[in-house]
């Protein structure tokens, strides 16, 4: 249940995204840099939603809620 | 021991957050949400045994099961509302956070209404 690799995954993703962002910005491709950031956020959100859904289900079963 | 797990997770997450907060604040928000949920998931099984003990206590002492269910519901609402409000506050959205808290309070009030009615009935029976 407890997985530290999710933390490292997200942190690594953030570092990659910021490197790509600054490289693209240096190359003068502002719009692509923005797209890279957006993609990073979407990937992180998909990772987070699964965990949050699991969390809600486990709270529901712990407190015996319908 | 769970506390070692929790502390290690907190330290690792804090270092990672420190690393990415300045560059990518939006991704660091997702990371802090993940860490909060993970710590909660570590501690939830313990809470489950506590809830089981209190459930047997309540049923042995003859408390109506409806009331115990209400107490559990209020607990769950307050934990989840607190988590959501903290995430919103972390993102700097003070207004959204306070609305989330207000919604949690109102939902708790709504769940507690049967108990309030019961108390009023008892008082009325005592008066007459």
């Amino acid at each position: 249940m407890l997985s530290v690799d999710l933390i490292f995954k997200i942190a690594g993703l953030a570092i990659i995204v910021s490197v790509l962002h600054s490289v693209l910005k240096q190359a003068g491709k502002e719009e692509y840099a923005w797209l890279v950031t957006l993609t990073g956020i979407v990937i992180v959100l998909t990772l987070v939603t699964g965990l949050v859904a699991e969390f809600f289900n486990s709270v529901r079963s712990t407190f015996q809620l319908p | 021991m769970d506390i070692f797990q929790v502390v290690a997770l907190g330290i690792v997450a804090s270092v990672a957050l420190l690393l990415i907060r300045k560059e990518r604040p939006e991704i660091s928000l997702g990371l802090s949400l993940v860490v909060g949920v993970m710590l909660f998931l570590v501690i939830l099984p313990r809470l489950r045994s506590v809830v089981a003990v209190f459930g047997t206590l309540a049923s042995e002492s003859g408390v109506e099961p409806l009331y115990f269910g209400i107490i559990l519901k209020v607990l769950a609402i307050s934990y989840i509302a607190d988590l959501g409000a903290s995430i919103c506050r972390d993102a700097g959205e003070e207004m959204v956070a306070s609305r989330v808290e207000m919604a949690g309070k109102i939902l708790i009030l709504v769940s507690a209404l049967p108990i309030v009615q019961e108390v009023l009935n008892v008082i009325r029976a005592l008066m007459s």
Side-chain angles (χ1 to χ4, degrees), chain B residues 18-29:
Chain B
L18 204 62
L19 199 64
I20 65 176
R21 172 138 285 167
K22 207 177 286 173
E23 288 290 322
R24 302 280 101 197
E26 63 277 358
I27 295 184
S28 85
L29 187 74

Side-chain angles (χ1 to χ4, degrees), chain B residues 25-71:
Chain B
E26 63 277 358
I27 295 184
S28 85
L29 187 74
L31 184 55
S32 65
L33 176 60
V34 164
V35 175
V37 168
M38 266 183 185
L39 292 179
F40 220 117
L41 280 177
V42 171
I43 228 61
L44 258 186
R46 303 307 161 105
L47 206 56
R48 188 170 305 195
S49 53
V50 173
V51 167
V53 169
F54 275 105
T56 48
L57 268 180
S59 61
E60 276 171 8
S61 61
V63 177
E64 202 162 328
L66 173 73
Y67 297 152
F68 188 63
I70 288 173
I71 291 174

Side-chain angles (χ1 to χ4, degrees), chain A:
Chain A
M1 192 158 60
L2 172 67
S3 50
V4 195
D5 30 317
L6 193 58
I7 293 177
F8 288 129
K9 213 186 274 180
I10 293 177
L13 194 76
I15 292 171
I16 292 170
V17 164
S18 48
V19 167
L20 278 178
H21 186 90
S22 47
V23 166
L24 285 171
K25 212 170 184 180
Q26 286 290 318
K29 312 252 188 221
E30 290 274 340
E31 62 277 12
Y32 287 111
W34 190 77
L35 268 181
V36 165
T37 309
L38 188 66
T39 318
I41 294 171
V42 169
I43 294 172
V44 168
L45 271 185
T46 43
L47 289 176
V48 168
T49 7
L51 193 71
V52 171
E54 187 195 335
F55 166 67
F56 281 171
N57 281 331
S58 109
V59 166
R60 202 170 285 159
S61 70
T62 302
F63 292 103
Q64 299 151 14
L65 297 177

